[in-house]
Amino acid sequence: MLPAVVKLCCGISYPHLRTMAGLQRLAITAIGQELAHMQRNGQTHLPAWTSHMGWQTGTAQHQHIPLKEEELLYIRSGHEALTKALDIVEDKNGWNTELTEENGDVIYSKVLSGDRKVFRLETVLDATPEEIHHILWKVEEMHQWNPSIKNIKVLKQAGPETMVTHEVSAETAGNLIGQRDFLSVRHFSRQESCIYLGGAATHLESFPPQKGFVRAEDGPTCIVIEPLADDTGRSHFTWLLNMDVKGWLPKSIVNQALPRAQVDFTRCLRRRLAEGPTQRHTNHHAPTVSRARQPPHTLSDTH
């Protein structure tokens, strides 16, 4: 009965943790202690995001430093965005080839419910998953190698694998969509040798849409980075682009611009990787992806 009650509390009422009174919070703590005891005895399994609650599980004496309820909300939001994006990527039905580049980049597209078109880039990069992730996760430096970005600022950090960012796109020649800003939660996880990055639009009462910008929304979106089986120095790179640019642009223009933006971004990423990492970052303590499935090794082979 207890696991069912806690699943209901965590799954439905989780956002209301921020407004709980003291007695209610003590109840949640007590439930967490009971759950931890049951998990040590093999009686129940906790969702991945609850590792940040400060509930000690297993036999180890180490205990996570509890995070604020708001931070837990971002962690759960990021994990859910990654899960939903992977569901889209791994659904092999409905994908059509959008464009093919000479360097091996292939972009596929499909139309989701609600008539939103999403794009999936598949390519191989000459770097390890760790090297790629190291560069992509240093978001505040991304404008230095990607001219389509004016700046990205980390507004909130929720543990080492989740953050809330504000991004402003650059006013560059040939930008059919125009300048936009984004408020997003970003999250990464790992499953064996693969690294998963996911994200989605979020909201902050303290950071409403900015004057002079159209607030676009992305997500759920994801990047999957996995080492090639026959080459430890190269990686298969999958990127799901799922974006609502807002404004009054015709869909035909948006659907033309988004895949080109993926090609441009990947070209810039290759150039940055060729420069080499400024420092190795090989000790990411990220949670594993709580999914009973294998990473998408051969998605492009289905077309």
Side-chain angles (χ1 to χ4, degrees), residues 60 82 261:
L82 176 57

Side-chain angles (χ1 to χ4, degrees), residues 82 86 187-191 194-198 223-224 289 295-296:
L82 176 57
L86 287 174
H187 179 78
F188 82 85
S189 294
R190 158 189 328 275
Q191 181 174 307
C194 301
I195 298 176
Y196 301 82
L197 295 87
I223 289 175
V224 180
V289 180

Side-chain angles (χ1 to χ4, degrees), residues 235-272:
S235 301
H236 187 83
F237 184 84
T238 302
W239 174 19
L240 175 72
L241 178 60
N242 179 8
M243 182 184 297
D244 183 353
V245 301
K246 301 298 183 179
W248 299 97
L249 290 174
K251 285 186 178 180
S252 59
I253 294 180
V254 173
N255 292 338
Q256 176 186 352
L258 292 181
R260 294 310 314 177
Q262 286 184 291
V263 170
D264 293 342
F265 175 88
T266 309
R267 181 176 61 252
C268 293
L269 178 57
R270 280 194 174 94
R271 186 181 302 122
R272 173 62 185 87

